């Protein structure tokens, strides 16, 4: 095959602030149509997506059909995001679109916790509920769209429920809420304090997903490191054996399932050290998603973030000594109220030393209700934009250098997509939607979810370009 050459131009495009929402616009059609048809729009983070999957599973269990157009639905549910102002506006716009296209709309999710704000803009919505209010959503559906005649023997739902992700990967949510009180965040006000799911229940779900063909589990929560803190890490049971409700023990059990396990939203608490050997041994993916947010001690204190920047640098160095293949992704905020140029320079210097593989950045958004809004004078928009661009330029250079080191190596990849130009895959270093890709141009004889070895031939700032490794007969070695 021919790998397209990428030549950076002299005029580099400006970085753009990433979206906080991943819209699943009106879920895929299911069923044959029963007069009780529901359209579903899921906005927000993967944690919200799991909430949507749970609601859809219950709706399908009760015999409702899910359709993929507003016009074909008897009712539309919008699962909203309310994290920052842009997400709130997107949620309000989507509600308006659903009202305009259909007219019968229920609203749930994080923005649902602010009912007055929604009704001020959209007074005609039929009902509003907050995040993870599954039973209340179903009650509202029943009020406006009575349960259909349903024969469970002919309308079976798979054990793993309705999924909104491709068949080969799934999100595994291990807890709700958060005990942290970061001053820029209102998640605890929207979703409450930490509530860990029983470990046996989590492992049962993981097993069902594996049996359904899932090859990659993405472990998510608001604070994955804090799993079990609320129940004092009590001992639960799975398969008749005692298992402590704690991140380390959870990872040990997930590792036994023989599929990719990826950890998201991990705070750098000391006990994170315990999972690094599992990564070094190939039992779970050597990948950590850690939202560091900043590096200036003064700003971290104002943010009320756990951990200290100097200690996290020591942790990162120690982790990489144990597991050289470790990939670390993170997110940061520039323009936090009161952030000075000196604070920003500390952040850039920390980033240079940390050499993080994958980095995202947000300009501070004064979310209604966030304590940080009143801590200091807001940083002017033009200053935030300048710092954002400078930060992303450094992050992009580091990413390009680290990816360039992979050229000439072989990596195991999982195929996510097939298009007119070939296949698009991901390596262990890439989480879906938020990280880079492995472009397999000209490769068409693979299937979605297939795992293959890829020879890395070229890299740009964020993506790798590769060809599939074949044996002497030209056959692809089947993996997993």
């Amino acid at each position: 095959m021919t790998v397209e050459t990428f030549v950076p131009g002299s005029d580099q495009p400006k970085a753009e602030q990433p979206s906080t929402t991943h819209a699943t616009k009106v879920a895929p059609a299911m069923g044959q149509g029963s007069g009780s048809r529901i359209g579903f729009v899921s906005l927000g983070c993967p944690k919200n997506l799991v909430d949507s999957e749970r609601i859809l599973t219950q709706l399908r269990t009760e015999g409702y059909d899910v359709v993929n157009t507003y016009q074909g639905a008897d009712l539309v549910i919008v699962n909203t995001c309310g994290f920052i102002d842009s997400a709130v506006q997107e949620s309000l716009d989507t509600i308006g679109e659903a009202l305009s296209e259909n007219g019968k709309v229920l609203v749930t999710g994080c923005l649902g916790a602010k009912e007055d704000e929604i009704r001020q803009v959209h007074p005609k919505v039929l009902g509003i509920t907050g995040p993870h209010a599954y039973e209340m959503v179903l009650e509202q559906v029943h009020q406006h769209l009575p349960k259909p005649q349903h024969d469970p023997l002919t309308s079976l739902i798979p054990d793993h429920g309705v999924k909104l992700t491709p068949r080969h990967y799934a999100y595994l949510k291990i807890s709700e809420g958060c005990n942290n009180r970061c001053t820029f965040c209102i998640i605890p006000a929207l979703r409450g304090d930490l509530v860990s799911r029983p470990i046996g229940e989590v492992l049962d779900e993981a097993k069902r997903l594996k049996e359904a063909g899932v090859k990659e589990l993405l472990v998510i929560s608001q604070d994955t490191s804090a799993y079990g803190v609320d129940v004092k890490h009590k001992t639960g049971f799975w398969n008749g054996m005692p298992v402590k409700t704690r991140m380390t023990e959870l990872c040990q059990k997930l590792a036994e399932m023989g599929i990719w396990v990826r950890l998201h939203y991990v705070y750098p608490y000391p006990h994170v050290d315990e999972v690094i050997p599992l990564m070094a041994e190939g039992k779970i993916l050597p990948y950590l998603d850690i939202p560091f947010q900043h590096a200036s001690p003064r700003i971290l204190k104002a943010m009320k973030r756990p951990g200290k920047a100097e200690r996290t640098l020591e942790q990162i160095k120690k982790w990489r000594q144990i597991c050289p293949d470790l990939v670390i992704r993170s997110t940061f905020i520039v323009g936090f109220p009161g952030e000075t140029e000196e604070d920003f320079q500390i952040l850039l210097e920390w980033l240079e030393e940390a050499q993080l593989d994958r980095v995202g950045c947000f300009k501070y958004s004064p979310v209604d209700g966030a304590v940080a809004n009143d801590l200091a004078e807001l940083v002017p928009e033009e200053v935030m934009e300048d710092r954002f661009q400078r930060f992303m330029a450094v992050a992009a250079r580091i990413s390009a250098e680290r990816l360039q080191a992979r050229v000439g190596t072989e990596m195991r990849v999982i195929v996510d997509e097939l298009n007119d130009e070939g296949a698009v895959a991901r390596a262990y270093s890439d989480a879906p939607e938020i990280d880079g890709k492995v472009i397999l141009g000209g490769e068409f004889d693979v299937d979605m979810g297939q795992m293959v070895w890829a020879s890395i031939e070229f890299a740009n700032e964020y993506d790798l370009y590769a060809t599939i490794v074949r044996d002497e007969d030209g056959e692809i070695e089947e993996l997993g």
Side-chain angles (χ1 to χ4, degrees):
M1 64 165 281
T2 301
V3 178
E4 181 181 354
T5 302
F6 176 84
V7 181
S10 57
D11 296 324
Q12 292 297 309
K14 283 192 173 183
E16 295 183 1
Q17 173 136 323
S19 170
T20 59
T21 66
H22 301 289
T24 302
K25 291 286 187 180
V26 192
M30 305 172 191
Q32 301 300 316
S34 62
S36 297
R37 301 175 298 264
I38 293 178
F40 202 105
V41 183
S42 183
L43 302 171
C45 64
K47 296 177 284 293
N48 226 33
L49 188 72
V50 173
D51 291 346
S52 296
E53 291 174 340
R54 182 167 178 177
I55 295 169
L56 285 168
T57 297
Q58 187 58 39
L59 288 169
R60 291 289 294 125
T61 299
E62 294 185 359
Y64 291 95
D65 287 321
V66 180
V67 298
N68 57 8
T69 64
Y70 288 122
Q71 293 79 8
D74 299 301
L75 178 72
V76 175
I77 301 173
V78 180
N79 191 4
T80 59
C81 178
F83 183 54
I84 61 176
D85 288 349
S86 60
V88 170
Q89 189 58 53
E90 181 178 7
S91 293
L92 291 173
D93 290 346
T94 302
I95 295 168
E97 178 184 72
L99 284 169
S100 174
E101 296 291 332
N102 183 278
K104 296 180 69 175
V105 178
L106 295 176
V107 176
T108 189
C110 288
L111 187 58
K114 300 180 179 181
E115 182 170 354
D116 292 344
E117 184 173 339
I118 295 173
R119 291 204 178 277
Q120 185 176 359
V121 181
H122 300 300
K124 294 183 179 181
V125 295
L126 299 178
I128 300 173
T129 55
H132 52 83
Y134 316 114
E135 294 181 1
M136 293 179 65
V137 173
L138 270 294
E139 289 175 3
Q140 290 186 351
V141 170
H142 298 157
Q143 292 174 16
H144 300 284
L145 207 61
K147 289 184 182 182
Q149 294 294 321
H150 174 55
D151 183 355
L153 296 179
T154 60
S155 301
L156 298 178
I157 304 300
D159 288 341
H160 61 278
V162 174
K163 308 303 295 180
L164 296 177
T165 53
R167 183 173 181 266
H168 59 279
Y169 71 81
Y171 294 102
L172 181 68
K173 185 159 67 170
I174 63 175
S175 65
E176 299 282 3
C178 184
N179 286 344
N180 296 308
R181 294 297 182 264
C182 303
T183 57
F184 56 82
C185 181
I186 60 171
I187 291 297
L190 298 176
R191 289 185 170 262
D193 289 337
L194 175 71
V195 178
S196 299
R197 294 178 62 194
I199 193 162
E201 179 182 306
V202 173
L203 291 170
D204 278 341
E205 181 179 351
K207 182 180 178 182
R208 289 195 300 271
L209 289 167
K210 179 193 174 182
E211 291 172 346
V214 167
K215 297 180 179 179
E216 177 182 6
L217 288 175
L218 299 101
V219 179
I220 59 170
S221 64
Q222 296 296 337
D223 181 356
T224 296
S225 307
Y227 177 62
V229 166
D230 55 313
V231 294
K232 299 181 179 179
H233 301 302
K234 74 175 183 180
T235 298
F237 289 87
W238 186 63
N239 283 351
M241 299 294 291
V243 186
K244 186 177 290 188
T245 309
R246 206 167 72 106
M247 183 181 74
T248 303
E249 284 75 7
L250 173 64
C251 289
Q252 290 170 344
K253 288 299 178 184
L254 292 174
E256 295 174 4
M257 296 189 182
I259 57 179
W260 280 9
V261 176
R262 189 183 301 276
L263 301 181
H264 285 276
Y265 314 117
V266 176
Y267 281 62
Y269 301 142
H271 69 268
V272 174
D273 294 354
E274 299 172 9
V275 303
I276 304 301
L278 293 175
M279 297 178 177
E281 295 165 10
K283 294 181 177 179
I284 63 175
L285 293 182
Y287 178 101
L288 279 176
D289 176 2
I290 304 178
F292 290 117
Q293 305 297 15
H294 215 282
S296 163
R298 193 179 70 84
I299 296 299
L300 287 171
K301 182 178 180 180
M303 287 179 167
K304 290 192 175 180
R305 294 292 291 173
K308 297 181 179 179
E310 290 183 2
R311 189 176 70 83
T312 55
L313 284 175
E314 294 173 359
Q315 276 186 299
I316 291 170
K317 182 178 180 180
K318 177 181 176 182
W319 293 340
R320 285 175 170 158
Q321 287 173 343
I322 298 171
C323 183
D325 291 332
L326 178 65
V327 164
I328 302 175
R329 94 166 311 277
S330 188
T331 52
F332 295 85
I333 297 173
V334 296
F336 187 84
E339 181 191 60
T340 64
E341 180 62 24
E342 181 182 359
D343 293 319
F344 180 67
Q345 286 299 323
I346 291 173
L347 173 58
L348 290 184
E349 291 169 6
W350 187 93
L351 184 62
E352 291 277 14
E353 188 168 353
Q355 291 286 298
L356 302 183
D357 301 84
R358 302 294 195 184
V359 173
C361 184
F362 293 91
K363 292 178 287 185
Y364 178 78
S365 176
V367 180
D368 185 29
V371 174
N373 299 338
D374 302 318
L375 291 179
E377 186 175 349
L378 295 180
V379 176
E381 173 61 32
E382 61 272 19
V383 175
M384 278 200 290
E385 177 64 22
D386 175 68
R387 291 176 183 171
F388 174 75
Q389 295 296 335
R390 289 156 62 196
F391 178 93
M392 289 308 300
V394 172
R397 173 174 51 77
I398 293 172
S399 175
E401 291 170 354
R402 295 187 71 81
L403 288 178
Q404 186 63 36
R406 296 190 181 276
V407 174
T409 67
E410 294 182 359
M411 300 183 73
R412 189 182 188 186
V413 301
I414 188 167
V415 178
D416 275 345
E417 178 188 347
L418 297 173
N419 56 39
D420 294 340
E421 298 179 356
V424 179
R426 287 180 295 109
Y428 81 87
S429 51
D430 310 306
E433 296 192 359
I434 57 175
D435 290 330
K437 300 177 177 64
V438 179
I439 310 299
L440 301 171
E443 303 281 11
F444 298 98
D445 54 346
V446 289
D447 299 316
M448 281 185 60
Q450 186 174 352
M451 285 186 167
V452 298
W453 283 100
S455 176
I456 310 302
E457 299 185 358
F458 177 77
N460 62 21
E461 291 177 336
Y462 300 110
D463 299 321
L464 297 171
Y465 293 77
T467 55
I468 293 176
V469 177
R470 290 174 166 80
D471 61 22
E472 293 179 355
D473 297 323
E475 297 296 324
I476 299 172
E477 181 183 357
E478 184 66 26
L479 298 174

